[in-house]
Amino acid sequence: MKILIDLQHPADLHFFRNAVDRLREQGHEVKLTGRDKDILVTLAAEYGLEVEFFGRARPGVFKMGCELFQRWLRLRHIIRHWQPDRMMAIAGTYISIPGWLTGTPTSVFYDTEHATLSNILSYPFCSCVHVPRCYRKPIQWNHKRYNGYHELAYLHPNYFTPDSSVLDEVGIGKDDIFSVVRFVGWEAAHDIGRKGLTEEGRISAVRRLQKHGPVFISCEGELPAELEEYRLRLPLSRIHHLMSYATLIFGESPTMCSEGAVLGVPGIYINPLELGYTDEQEQEFGIVFNFNPQKQDEAIDKGEAILCNSSTSEWQKKREKLLAEKIDVTKMIEKIALEGD
């Protein structure tokens, strides 16, 4: 079979890469297309994945609209010449309409309820949208719910084993208490009109967490000058290895907090966006803690409490419960690619 996968965001590459390897091992052709978004180009290079890149993410509604139209045209051209049997994407903003116009079966995966514009441009036109069971928003178009999270496609123990040598790379010991902090750029379409921590809040959070151990910051865009020394300088493909040994994940990224949950590391999620999967990870497994930015002091207090009372065995038990109750998402992706929705 010929399968085309379109990547919109760095997390998309993580989501699909194990399925891509499994499909290619079975002799199927897989073509990857992508856009120049954040660290996606660099990440693809680090993993040795060949991706046909076109279109570049830029802030602003007008520029987003121009990129959308240009990528539609390019993808339609690729589809007509390469003639895939099936196409797949997360969100599906760029690939669903070209798939609909060319009659190519298109499977979309998504977990963000508030991405209204993206969903309108995708859900009505794809063959089927696959969402986690905890996805809270009703979907009127063809869809299926599965018992898992995106992050289980690449951090499930069937595919990921932490490499402790990453600790030497950042100069810390295996038993050291440390935090990984993530600040986002707030430039995605579903982020318009929303914001997270203030600059003062970011500085305060890092200074307070730093009292308990080293802090490593992963950040989209610029950091306040006072925080630049904490910026994580590590190959992008190594960050999950570092996260697996962290004591705390703290910040504005739901994806990174969910990654921490799958790895057995507690997360403090500070964001006005309420998401089904981070809510479930708090309510069902008690390993992610959700806060609105207006309650940033409470969020920092909770982070400090975790750092002061760190118990690796407690969090690993929560992780074991999560893994026991959820599916291997890569196997699901592979099955949909070969058998359909």
Side-chain angles (χ1 to χ4, degrees):
M1 289 187 68
K2 298 171 70 175
I3 302 153
L4 190 152
I5 299 175
D6 188 50
L7 309 174
Q8 295 183 204
H9 187 276
D12 300 3
L13 185 147
H14 289 306
F15 181 78
F16 285 112
R17 61 185 170 84
N18 289 312
V20 169
D21 288 343
R22 290 169 64 96
L23 290 165
R24 286 176 171 168
E25 287 171 0
Q26 297 172 51
H28 303 289
E29 294 183 63
V30 182
K31 185 179 186 65
L32 300 177
T33 57
R35 63 196 288 249
D36 188 351
K37 164 70 173 173
D38 298 333
I39 59 173
L40 181 54
V41 175
T42 304
L43 195 61
E46 288 187 8
Y47 280 112
L49 289 172
E50 183 177 341
V51 181
E52 184 175 340
F53 285 103
F54 48 90
R56 183 178 180 184
R58 293 184 174 87
V61 175
F62 177 75
K63 291 179 180 178
M64 287 181 183
C66 290
E67 184 199 2
L68 179 66
F69 186 69
Q70 291 168 354
R71 293 200 88 244
W72 276 345
L73 293 177
R74 183 71 174 271
L75 281 164
R76 188 178 179 184
H77 174 78
I78 291 172
I79 294 165
R80 285 184 165 176
H81 283 78
W82 198 62
Q83 296 185 339
D85 297 298
R86 175 165 297 276
M87 301 193 297
M88 310 178 87
I90 286 182
T93 311
Y94 299 98
I95 208 166
S96 293
I97 288 180
W100 177 70
L101 290 172
T102 59
T104 307
T106 304
S107 301
V108 166
F109 305 84
Y110 213 33
D111 61 2
T112 305
E113 294 94 337
H114 299 276
T116 306
L117 178 60
S118 174
N119 296 347
I120 287 296
L121 293 171
S122 174
Y123 289 6
F125 303 99
C126 65
S127 305
C128 184
V129 56
H130 299 264
V131 297
R133 190 176 64 183
C134 56
Y135 188 93
R136 300 185 306 183
K137 192 172 183 178
I139 302 173
Q140 66 184 86
W141 299 282
N142 188 37
H143 69 283
K144 291 182 179 178
R145 295 177 180 268
Y146 65 93
N147 187 24
Y149 307 124
H150 281 195
E151 295 72 28
L152 284 165
Y154 53 98
L155 294 178
H156 192 286
N158 287 344
Y159 311 100
F160 178 77
T161 302
D163 180 0
S164 62
S165 68
V166 73
L167 299 175
D168 294 330
E169 295 173 42
V170 296
I172 56 177
K174 193 170 184 179
D175 297 322
D176 287 354
I177 292 173
F178 71 96
S179 304
V180 174
V181 172
R182 173 66 171 174
F183 298 134
V184 303
W186 300 98
E187 293 179 348
H190 59 261
D191 289 332
I192 294 174
R194 297 183 174 94
K195 59 182 179 180
L197 291 165
T198 62
E199 181 171 312
E200 293 77 12
R202 290 182 173 189
I203 294 170
S204 175
V206 172
R207 285 179 174 170
R208 288 176 60 182
L209 297 178
Q210 192 269 338
K211 294 177 183 178
H212 305 277
V215 173
F216 301 95
I217 301 176
S218 169
C219 181
E220 293 177 352
E222 296 182 0
L223 275 173
E226 298 94 322
L227 301 183
E228 191 60 41
E229 65 178 294
Y230 300 101
R231 186 185 289 273
L232 178 61
R233 305 185 189 283
L234 193 69
L236 303 174
S237 57
R238 300 284 284 163
I239 191 167
H240 295 126
H241 295 279
L242 181 66
M243 288 174 61
S244 67
Y245 292 100
T247 313
L248 176 71
I249 308 299
F250 182 100
E252 301 162 329
S253 168
T255 297
M256 190 165 280
C257 285
S258 185
E259 289 172 339
V262 171
L263 292 169
V265 181
I268 304 294
Y269 172 54
I270 309 174
N271 196 307
L273 289 176
E274 297 180 5
L275 297 166
Y277 63 95
T278 58
D279 282 348
E280 182 178 86
Q281 288 162 356
E282 178 172 31
Q283 296 163 8
E284 298 293 327
F285 304 106
I287 200 166
V288 171
F289 304 92
N290 299 275
F291 293 89
N292 189 285
Q294 295 177 347
K295 296 185 177 181
Q296 62 185 35
D297 287 338
E298 294 179 28
I300 299 170
D301 288 343
K302 181 63 177 178
E304 285 195 284
I306 291 172
L307 293 172
C308 288
N309 299 282
S310 175
S311 173
T312 302
S313 61
E314 173 191 350
W315 302 114
Q316 285 301 313
K317 287 180 181 178
K318 294 177 184 292
R319 179 198 186 217
E320 289 169 7
K321 181 176 185 291
L322 185 155
L323 293 174
E325 294 183 10
K326 299 299 177 181
I327 68 168
D328 180 330
V329 175
T330 285
K331 290 182 179 178
M332 179 193 72
I333 299 169
E334 180 186 3
K335 183 176 180 180
I336 292 170
L338 298 179
E339 301 177 12
D341 301 296

